[in-house]
Structure formats: C-alpha cells, structure tokens
Amino acid sequence: MPEFDSRGTFQKAANEYTKIQDAFPEVIRDPLLADMAVKEGDRILDLPCGTGDAIVRAAKLAGPTGHALAIDISPSMIEEAKESAEAAGVKNIQFVVENMDEAQFDAAAYDIVVSANGPFFASDLKAFLVKMWGAVKPGGKLVLMTLGRNFLTPISGVFLDLAQNKTEDLRISIPWRVTEDILFLRTLLEEVTNKQRVKITHRDVVMDYKTADGGWNLLMGTAFRGYTLEMSAQNQAEIEAEMKEWMQTNRVFSATCSFNNIVVTKDDA
C-alpha cells in the first residue's frame, strides 16, 4: 500500500462513517462545534467535510444570513451530507466533490475554516495549511482536529497484524502519523500563521462499541477500511471473522482514540 487511497477508502466507508458520527457525537462533532463557536451570519469552509455531521449543524447555527462551503473527495460522503442537510432543513450549504489538494475557494472570505481529521491526507501538509489559513478573514479562526498517538487501540493493532499476516506484501501506510506530534504541529502552525497563538487541546476518548460486530463496523468506518481494498474477498472475510473472534475471546468491546483539537485566531486587520 504505497499511497493511501483516500477516495476509494471513504467511498466504501461512507455508510459506516455516518453510523460512527451518530453513535459517538462526543468524539468529533461536539468538540469541533464547541471550538467553532458559530455565530449568526458566519461564513464557514469545511474541508474535507466527510458526511457533514458537523457542518450541517454549523450552517444551521449560522442561520439564513450565514453560508457554508463543504468539500470532500468522496461523492458518497457528499451524498450522505446532502441527505443530512435536507433532513435538517438546512439550505445554506454549497457541497462540492473535489480533491483537497485542488479545491478552490476565496481568500480571506471565511469567519471559520475547519478541517477535522483531514489535514494529514494532503499531499503537502504545509501547503494545505497555508491555503486554509489564507481563507480565514481577519478576526476569524482556523479550527483543526487531528488524531493523536492512540487510534482505536487495541483493535487497530490487532487488525493490522492480521492483515499483514494474511495478505502478501501488504504495506502499512498511516497518513495521520504526520500530525501525531504536538510540538511538530505547533511549530508548523506558528510558521504558517506568522506566529499567531496556537491553542492545542489533547483528548483521549473511550469508544464503547459493545459487540464484536460493533467493533468491526467501527474499524471499517475509518481509514483502516483502506487496507481491505488491497485484499481478496476471501482474506477480508477471514480477517473479519478472526477479528470478531479475538474481541469475543478477550472480551474487548471498547477502543481508545486520542485527538488534538487546534484553534488559531487571526489578528484583526
């Protein structure tokens, strides 16, 4: 797996990803909305927006005088987001299917620019952050969420061991490792934002998935789904069965995730 296939992974994972957002709102959506602190009339950019769990609620808070631009590489993710917006009666969102490296948007046009668990998928992290920071209005804010050093432990490690043992020449490429280091993040953002104050909050969250089926669905709703794209159908089925057996045998029905929530506010002009 020399290069992580973001589009293919999240096309397949969209449905499970939506279920994770619904089951664990306190993991991503709620902390993100707290950091965004949306006000009436705010203009918001969300890239990548995923299935829209946060941006739909943010746009509703921004009200009819506000506006949101939501971009994601996966058409399936965007379709899920559109359905959520329609169900919530939210009409002030423009949805766009686009690669995050090629996405176009106005400079200095947004009160809030947000990217949750997505920056590490950029081909050039610094260039992506420069572009996102450039979209923030004076007095506006950049809101990021990245994964910490624990991502679905212990089941993630068990899954990767089984995957490599079962599948010949399966290479492990973990994009989010680039943003695990808090010192690296702070230093890079201070450079990108010309020494603006960077606020980083670390969180560790326990996700209780209750059953072996729930644990498998949790894995398949995340970037780990991408490794199954490299496997035969038989290997996928065997690994799913072995993972569920491991969870049942060891009575492991929860996983720990760590996150770094980041807010940088741009000085007024």
Side-chain angles (χ1 to χ4, degrees):
M1 193 172 183
E3 184 176 341
F4 188 86
D5 180 5
S6 297
R7 188 180 189 279
T9 296
F10 292 109
Q11 275 290 91
K12 296 287 187 180
N15 185 254
E16 285 84 358
Y17 188 82
T18 299
K19 292 175 182 176
I20 292 172
Q21 309 310 303
D22 291 341
F24 302 102
E26 74 282 0
V27 171
I28 297 176
R29 185 191 74 203
D30 292 352
L32 199 66
L33 288 172
D35 284 342
M36 292 168 73
V38 179
K39 303 184 299 298
E40 181 83 22
D42 275 346
R43 290 176 56 82
I44 308 163
L45 166 66
D46 187 359
L47 171 64
C49 68
T51 55
D53 193 53
I55 194 60
V56 170
R57 286 164 174 80
K60 191 167 187 176
L61 291 170
T65 60
H67 182 266
L69 172 61
I71 305 172
D72 200 276
I73 193 174
S74 165
S76 293
M77 290 280 190
I78 289 292
E79 283 305 310
E80 292 275 357
K82 285 181 177 179
E83 289 175 9
S84 294
E86 184 175 353
V90 175
K91 303 182 184 300
N92 59 338
I93 306 180
Q94 177 187 359
F95 292 103
V96 176
V97 176
E98 185 60 270
N99 185 310
M100 63 194 302
D101 292 324
E102 300 167 1
Q104 299 295 313
F105 38 82
D106 294 334
Y110 297 93
D111 301 283
I112 304 167
V113 173
V114 60
S115 185
N117 295 333
F120 38 76
F121 290 125
S123 60
D124 184 328
L125 176 60
K126 182 178 179 181
F128 174 74
L129 293 174
V130 167
K131 185 164 72 168
M132 294 290 273
W133 180 246
V136 180
K137 286 181 179 179
K141 67 176 74 170
L142 175 66
V143 177
L144 306 173
M145 181 181 292
T146 67
L147 296 169
R149 290 184 170 90
N150 291 319
F151 183 32
L152 297 184
T153 56
I155 59 173
S156 57
V158 176
F159 170 78
L160 292 176
D161 286 344
L162 287 172
Q164 282 199 309
N165 191 45
K166 186 77 65 176
T167 307
E168 186 177 354
D169 297 329
L170 180 66
R171 295 183 181 275
I172 302 300
S173 170
I174 303 181
W176 53 92
R177 286 278 163 82
V178 72
T179 57
E180 287 179 351
D181 189 294
I182 291 175
L183 176 60
F184 166 77
L185 270 178
R186 187 185 303 279
T187 302
L188 178 60
L189 283 165
E190 286 177 349
E191 180 181 354
V192 165
T193 65
N194 194 25
K195 299 297 184 181
Q196 298 285 285
R197 179 176 177 272
V198 177
K199 177 187 174 185
I200 300 180
T201 303
H202 177 80
R203 297 182 295 120
D204 287 287
V205 181
V206 176
M207 303 172 73
D208 294 312
Y209 48 80
K210 304 185 188 310
T211 66
D213 284 339
W216 178 255
N217 291 338
L218 181 59
L219 280 168
M220 292 300 99
T222 70
F224 286 113
R225 181 66 172 262
Y227 295 107
T228 67
L229 303 180
E230 303 293 309
M231 301 176 190
S232 67
Q234 179 179 341
N235 280 347
Q236 288 182 42
E238 289 178 358
I239 289 170
E240 179 179 355
E242 290 175 23
M243 276 297 308
K244 290 178 179 179
E245 181 182 2
W246 183 90
M247 286 183 272
Q248 288 284 6
T249 300
N250 293 281
R251 308 300 297 168
V252 176
F253 300 115
S254 66
T256 299
C257 275
S258 59
F259 299 90
N260 297 312
N261 285 67
I262 302 140
V263 178
V264 190
T265 301
K266 183 173 282 191
D267 288 340
D268 286 315

